[in-house]
């Protein structure tokens, strides 16, 4: 079984691409969803987050994600500390996912920051989804109700999509001009054969 990374900057459309692969029968591990679940169920992780941000960061066992985002996107050290707590737990969940899907030809690990955390070393190939910055910002503003400035801050905390694309084995362009589905289908055929 091959482990393929799927990444792209915020608003690039990597979740859309992941959904297409999933509908093709490819097991997809969504790192963000796994992190969210673990942050509300894993006692060790919860305690680490409380230690980092204080007990008021949780209300009725729910993590105040908006408050966490405000803090970490304004303070890179806090972001790094949070990543040091969350990523090992997500890594264990991914190992379990791989074991559960070991009969598959390949699986996808979807995450926005695979390159940022050096996870490409643990994966066989990397797919990067790209889109023009103005389109990415518009998508995130529409999706999250975020401000232009807030989205820009989040983009600045990620490696540029040009750098990601330069490190990728495969690049999918999601610019609303080139059709996305044929690109994914062609890549799926390629990954099944190799």
């Amino acid at each position: 079984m091959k482990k393929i990374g799927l990444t792209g900057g915020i608003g690039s459309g990597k979740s859309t691409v992941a959904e297409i692969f999933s509908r093709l029968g490819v097991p997809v591990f969504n790192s963000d969803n796994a992190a969210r679940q673990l942050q509300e169920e894993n006692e060790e992780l919860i305690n680490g987050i409380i230690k980092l941000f204080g007990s008021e960061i949780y209300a009725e066992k729910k993590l105040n994600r908006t408050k966490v985002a405000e803090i970490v996107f304004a303070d890179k050290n806090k972001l790094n500390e949070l990543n040091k707590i969350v990523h090992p737990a997500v890594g264990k969940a991914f190992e379990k996912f791989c074991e559960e899907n070991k009969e598959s030809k390949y699986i996808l690990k979807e995450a926005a920051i695979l390159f940022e955390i050096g996870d490409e070393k643990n994966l066989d190939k990397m797919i990067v989804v790209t889109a023009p910055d103005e389109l990415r910002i518009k998508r995130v503003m529409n999706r999250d109700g975020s401000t232009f400035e807030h989205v820009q801050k989040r983009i600045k905390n990620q490696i540029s999509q040009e750098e990601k694309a330069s490190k990728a084995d495969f690049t999918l362009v999601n610019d609303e001009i080139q059709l996305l589905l044929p690109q994914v289908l062609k890549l799926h055929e390629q990954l099944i054969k190799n």
Side-chain angles (χ1 to χ4, degrees):
M1 173 195 64
K2 286 179 287 197
K3 298 174 188 174
I4 312 294
L6 173 62
T7 193
I10 186 171
S12 63
K14 68 187 166 306
S15 297
T16 301
V17 169
E19 178 64 25
I20 297 168
F21 275 108
S22 180
R23 288 176 185 252
L24 292 169
V26 178
V28 177
F29 179 83
N30 182 305
S31 297
D32 290 343
N33 289 348
R36 277 189 207 100
Q37 185 177 353
L38 290 164
Q39 288 167 347
E40 294 185 354
E41 295 176 3
N42 182 303
E43 287 299 320
E44 187 180 334
L45 189 53
I46 292 168
N47 291 334
I49 292 170
I50 288 171
K51 188 175 177 184
L52 185 61
F53 298 108
S55 58
E56 65 280 354
I57 206 72
Y58 280 91
E60 296 173 23
K61 297 192 178 186
K62 293 280 184 203
L63 180 63
N64 185 339
R65 295 182 201 297
T66 306
K67 186 67 180 162
V68 170
E70 284 173 17
I71 295 167
V72 300
F73 293 120
D75 182 344
K76 259 200 153 103
N77 290 332
K78 288 278 189 198
L79 177 61
N80 290 336
E81 289 300 312
L82 179 63
N83 285 341
K84 284 180 192 171
I85 298 168
V86 174
H87 292 301
V90 173
K92 286 180 187 169
F94 179 63
E95 286 172 21
K96 183 178 178 198
F97 177 85
C98 290
E99 184 58 33
E100 291 167 352
N101 292 284
K102 65 184 174 194
E103 300 303 318
S104 300
K105 195 85 168 151
Y106 73 96
I107 57 96
L108 287 180
K109 181 179 188 180
E110 177 197 354
I113 59 170
L114 291 175
F115 287 117
E116 287 83 345
I117 63 171
D119 212 13
E120 74 277 9
K121 294 181 217 91
N122 304 318
L123 301 164
D124 299 306
K125 298 282 182 189
M126 292 294 293
I127 303 167
V128 171
V129 183
T130 66
D133 283 347
E134 56 277 4
L135 182 57
R136 294 170 57 206
I137 291 169
K138 183 177 141 192
R139 287 174 179 160
V140 178
M141 287 172 65
N142 290 339
R143 180 188 75 197
D144 298 346
S146 298
T147 65
F148 180 85
E149 293 76 20
H150 181 73
V151 179
Q152 277 192 314
K153 265 188 196 175
R154 291 177 71 182
I155 287 173
K156 285 180 181 164
N157 275 305
Q158 297 179 347
I159 293 173
S160 76
Q161 63 179 355
E162 292 76 21
E163 187 177 342
K164 286 182 182 186
S166 74
K167 296 177 175 186
D169 298 289
F170 310 101
T171 303
L172 301 173
V173 179
N174 186 18
D175 60 3
E176 297 182 359
I177 297 167
Q178 299 174 63
L179 295 175
L180 190 58
L181 184 58
Q183 294 178 68
V184 175
L185 291 172
K186 182 179 175 187
L187 180 52
H188 176 61
E189 290 303 316
Q190 205 175 334
L191 290 169
I192 285 175
K193 285 178 190 168
N194 296 332

